[in-house]
Amino acid sequence: MNAINSGKTIEILRSLFRRYGLPKTLVSDNGRSLISNEFQIFINNNDIYHIKTSPYFPSSNGQAERFVQTFKDAMRQAKVDFGSRDYKLQNFVLQFRETPHSITHPSPVMFLGSDIPTCLDLLRPNETLYENREIHSAPI
């Protein structure tokens, strides 16, 4: 974000909430835009429980910090690959969302209700993904 203020933060969160629904809990640091009166009114109006962590104590938000480390490692490794930065970013996001979590087990995309089909699904078709399609084999 170019400008980090409560108005812009609320605008971004509204677009996310429209797409994915309202969360029950929001965990954030004590950033200026996240503790403002305007932001607190927004949180209260949407009945969201707001947990504030210490801004200079990153281990209190371990999952977010781990994701940042994973993202940085992936972008460092992607420097040797061909393609634009946007292509590499989209590739990372797809791979991250479809990979099952080591502790919670389902992949992050499962919060949308179902898995996303990928190129690997073409190697071993799953009946549930292709049940409404007719699969024809090529003549020998």
Side-chain angles (χ1 to χ4, degrees):
M1 290 174 30
N2 294 336
I4 301 175
N5 58 45
S6 56
K8 188 67 173 169
T9 303
I10 290 169
E11 181 184 323
I12 298 293
L13 287 176
R14 275 194 179 125
S15 70
L16 288 172
F17 295 165
R18 278 188 213 111
R19 179 178 284 174
Y20 301 113
L22 290 170
K24 293 177 183 175
T25 306
L26 178 70
V27 179
S28 72
D29 62 11
N30 285 313
R32 209 175 282 157
S33 64
L34 302 170
I35 59 171
S36 71
N37 246 0
E38 182 183 9
F39 191 78
Q40 293 308 311
I41 291 169
F42 170 72
I43 290 295
N44 290 337
N45 287 344
N46 288 295
D47 199 27
I48 299 171
Y49 181 64
H50 189 195
I51 299 173
K52 299 174 209 97
T53 64
S54 300
Y56 299 107
F57 192 62
S59 63
S60 63
N61 196 359
Q63 283 185 328
E65 293 300 320
R66 183 65 209 145
F67 173 78
V68 169
Q69 188 62 43
T70 301
F71 176 75
K72 285 180 179 179
D73 289 345
M75 291 299 105
R76 254 185 242 112
Q77 291 171 0
K79 283 184 179 179
V80 297
D81 294 340
F82 296 106
S84 70
R85 182 179 54 196
D86 286 343
Y87 174 77
K88 293 172 188 177
L89 177 63
Q90 291 168 5
N91 237 3
F92 167 76
V93 169
L94 176 66
Q95 290 173 5
F96 182 81
R97 287 180 179 165
E98 71 178 3
T99 303
H101 193 274
S102 62
I103 295 171
T104 60
H105 300 294
S107 61
V109 80
M110 289 305 288
F111 80 95
L112 295 175
S114 65
D115 236 342
I116 50 176
T118 64
C119 295
L120 290 176
D121 294 320
L122 298 174
L123 297 175
R124 190 170 166 195
N126 182 344
E127 290 84 24
T128 58
L129 289 175
Y130 299 101
E131 65 186 10
N132 295 328
R133 297 183 189 172
E134 289 184 26
I135 299 175
H136 300 284
S137 59
I140 300 179

